[in-house]
Amino acid sequence: MRNSTYKILEDLLNRHESLRSIQKELNEALVILIQTFKKEKKLFVCGNGGSAADSAHIAGELMKSFNISRNLNKNACPAIENLKDSEILKRKLEYGLPCIDLTSNLSLQTAILNDIGAEFIFAQQLFVYGSSGDVLLAISTSGNSQNVCLAAQVAKLKGMKTIGLQGINRHSNLAQLADVIISVPEKETYLIQEKHLPIYHALCLALENEFFGEE
């Protein structure tokens, strides 16, 4: 990991001193994510309500430029020269880190809800999309959301790792399933979500720096 990448997490902890209690877990989660993307594997994200919005937010930060430019290198994709609109594609396309938000496909979700059951809304998608070496970022303020925990079990079945993002309840169902559990030191849902945002922003910044930042 680059020193500049590590400093992004350190800056997070300097701005949010209450998160120092989970510094080890934050570092472990970042290492897992870096290793996953270096192996050209995928990240899946899921959550309910405000955590569903967070899932979409995370995918948006990873799939295109966030804080630094991710423009294509001149020699990155020689085959692009053969395309009719190669010049505009070279100017506009950006590198990204593959992240799939499991909360975003309403037609598929309602089919699963109607035909299988609401608690399988993430698990069914992950069972089809996921493969060994991928990672699930499972967000649940309580740590006990059934549909999120079922997705974590499917992740284990598929040979994936799970990073859990929740509140202070370290004895939650998600805590028992996750390879790394990030438990922010808050109990109220809105306060937990207020802590989640700077955490995933820092993780996205760190990943962007690691893969697309200057040496």
Side-chain angles (χ1 to χ4, degrees), residues 120-205:
F120 298 99
I121 200 166
F122 305 133
Q124 174 62 29
Q125 293 183 73
L126 200 63
F127 184 69
V128 178
Y129 286 141
S131 60
S132 180
D134 292 337
V135 171
L136 172 67
L137 176 55
I139 309 174
S140 170
T141 56
S142 69
N144 291 315
S145 302
Q146 186 180 19
N147 55 7
V148 173
C149 291
L150 285 172
Q153 292 181 63
V154 169
K156 188 179 295 291
L157 176 67
K158 300 289 286 189
M160 301 167 55
K161 289 188 176 179
T162 295
I163 298 168
L165 185 57
Q166 61 169 32
I168 202 167
N169 183 10
R170 288 183 174 270
H171 300 291
S172 70
N173 291 329
L174 184 58
Q176 310 310 309
L177 294 166
D179 296 278
V180 176
I181 189 72
I182 300 172
S183 299
V184 301
E186 297 289 354
K187 294 181 179 179
E188 294 290 339
T189 297
Y190 75 96
L191 294 174
I192 294 168
Q193 291 173 333
E194 285 180 6
K195 290 291 195 302
H196 282 180
L197 189 147
I199 287 172
Y200 67 70
H201 260 176
L203 290 173
C204 290
L205 286 168

Side-chain angles (χ1 to χ4, degrees), residues 70-126:
R70 302 189 200 171
N71 293 335
L72 299 187
N73 297 331
K74 289 183 179 179
N75 301 317
C77 186
I80 203 170
E81 300 293 346
N82 300 323
L83 302 177
K84 176 185 175 182
D85 293 310
S86 61
E87 291 304 316
I88 191 170
L89 288 169
K90 286 189 292 184
R91 289 199 308 272
K92 293 296 185 178
L93 288 180
E94 298 181 327
Y95 292 114
L97 297 169
C99 178
I100 297 176
D101 168 26
L102 298 176
T103 75
S104 64
N105 190 332
L106 183 60
S107 295
L108 174 58
Q109 289 170 352
T110 53
I112 295 170
L113 188 154
N114 187 65
D115 301 340
I116 304 175
E119 64 269 34
F120 298 99
I121 200 166
F122 305 133
Q124 174 62 29
Q125 293 183 73
L126 200 63

